[in-house]
């Protein structure tokens, strides 16, 4: 297939495919007429790259998965280098989750402090608000 068809089937742009090619993630093959040519294996490579990027992997982190597929493995994560990238990504995610939990604790403490200070400024708390006015017609 040609570059436009591959881009359409992969849900990306021809510009992106050229970029992946320049980074060595997508093979460079040309027909006699000079057009780039691709096959179903290349589509699998792109699907692997896009899935990993959707999970937050940067482009260079996808390289071991692509190389694993190119080596003939049925899945890009069947190789030791791919497994190592998964482990690093999980460590990174665990660290980010820890940071977010810490920030959440701090924000919760700030909220509790602010609410306490706000209620201390109003003796007896805020005045009740009554939206209804009852008038005695008798």
């Amino acid at each position: 297939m040609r570059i436009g068809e591959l881009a359409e089937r992969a849900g990306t742009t021809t510009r992106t495919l050229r970029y992946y090619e320049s980074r060595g993630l997508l093979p460079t093959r040309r027909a006699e007429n000079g057009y780039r040519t691709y096959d179903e294996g290349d589509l699998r490579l792109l699907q692997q790259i896009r899935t990993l990027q959707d999970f937050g992997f940067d482009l260079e982190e996808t390289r071991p998965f692509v190389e694993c597929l190119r080596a003939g493995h049925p899945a890009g994560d069947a190789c030791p280098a791919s497994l190592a990238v998964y482990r690093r990504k999980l460590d990174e995610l665990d660290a980010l989750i820890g940071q977010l939990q810490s920030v959440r604790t701090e924000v919760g403490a700030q909220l509790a402090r602010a609410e306490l200070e706000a209620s201390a400024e109003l003796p007896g708390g805020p005045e009740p608000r009554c939206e209804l006015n009852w008038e005695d017609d008798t």
Side-chain angles (χ1 to χ4, degrees):
M1 72 186 93
R2 293 193 14 205
I3 193 167
E5 182 183 350
L6 179 63
E8 184 177 324
R9 288 183 62 193
T12 191
T13 64
T14 58
R15 183 177 178 186
T16 299
L17 298 183
R18 286 186 198 98
Y19 178 69
Y20 290 171
E21 188 178 284
S22 74
R23 300 293 308 253
L25 293 169
L26 196 59
T28 305
R29 289 188 303 272
R30 296 204 181 248
E32 289 180 17
N33 59 10
Y35 291 127
R36 290 173 170 88
T37 61
Y38 303 96
D39 59 25
E40 293 298 319
D42 298 322
L43 179 59
R44 257 190 29 213
L45 292 176
L46 288 171
Q47 290 167 335
Q48 179 77 75
I49 291 168
R50 293 188 47 88
T51 297
L52 291 168
Q53 286 190 307
D54 288 347
F55 290 158
F57 289 69
D58 66 37
L59 191 58
E60 196 55 37
E61 288 174 316
T62 69
R63 187 173 300 280
F65 298 86
V66 168
E67 290 171 356
C68 190
L69 285 171
R70 281 189 184 158
H73 295 276
D77 55 7
C79 297
S82 303
L83 298 173
V85 173
Y86 273 152
R87 287 186 194 98
R88 280 195 307 271
K89 184 55 80 174
L90 280 175
D91 288 344
E92 180 183 312
L93 291 170
D94 287 341
L96 288 171
I97 289 168
Q99 290 172 350
L100 288 172
Q101 287 174 330
S102 178
V103 169
R104 188 190 189 294
T105 299
E106 285 295 317
V107 170
Q110 290 288 62
L111 173 62
R113 181 198 50 77
E115 288 175 334
L116 187 61
E117 287 179 9
S119 67
E121 290 178 5
L122 301 171
E127 291 289 323
R129 292 180 50 198
C130 182
E131 302 287 329
L132 299 174
N133 289 325
W134 294 90
E135 293 184 24
D136 190 17
D137 289 339
T138 56

